[in-house]
Amino acid sequence: MAEIFNILLSIMVLFFILLIIKEIFWKIIKKDFCAICASVSLTWIGLLVLYWSNLFNNTVILALLIGESIVGTFYLVEAKVRKEFTLFRLPFLLTLIVIGYSLIEIPSDLRKIIIFIIILWMIFIFAHLYRNNGSISSFIKKIVECCRRW
């Protein structure tokens, strides 16, 4: 139990440190960043290094924190891409999941996963190229609208 408390405490401390750094150095760095996202990311990166060094073994909290960064990355990219590229949400998210999982453990069926991801990207690229085709456009519209913010 103390382990999760220490991790939560670390995230909170990092949050306030990054918030102060952001406030003091904003004019110098001229880049805005999310202190919460950075705190979580720095925490799981540190824990991942400890995990790879066999000094930390709680893969549950590590996976949760990496998962938070995956979703944060997904939403950040989604907000920055042009509307016609929102079609690629599924292959992008699945690619991020595979990358996040592979940081903790290399899947035994990695070759099959890579082939699957490549085929999925190819299907979505093909759909994107032919998105104005009458028979495909309504299906593509349904894919894009599936994640619409209600």
Side-chain angles (χ1 to χ4, degrees), residues 3 13-14 20 38 55 80 89 102 106 113 125 132 150:
E3 191 173 271
V13 169
L14 277 171
I20 292 167
L55 299 171
K80 295 196 181 283
R89 287 181 186 129
S102 298
I106 302 299
I113 292 168
I125 289 168
N132 295 325
W150 303 98

Side-chain angles (χ1 to χ4, degrees), residues 11 14 35-45 65-66 68-69:
I11 292 171
L14 277 171
I36 291 175
C37 297
S39 301
V40 170
S41 295
L42 288 172
T43 301
W44 71 254
I45 289 168
L65 295 174
I66 291 172
E68 287 179 32
S69 292

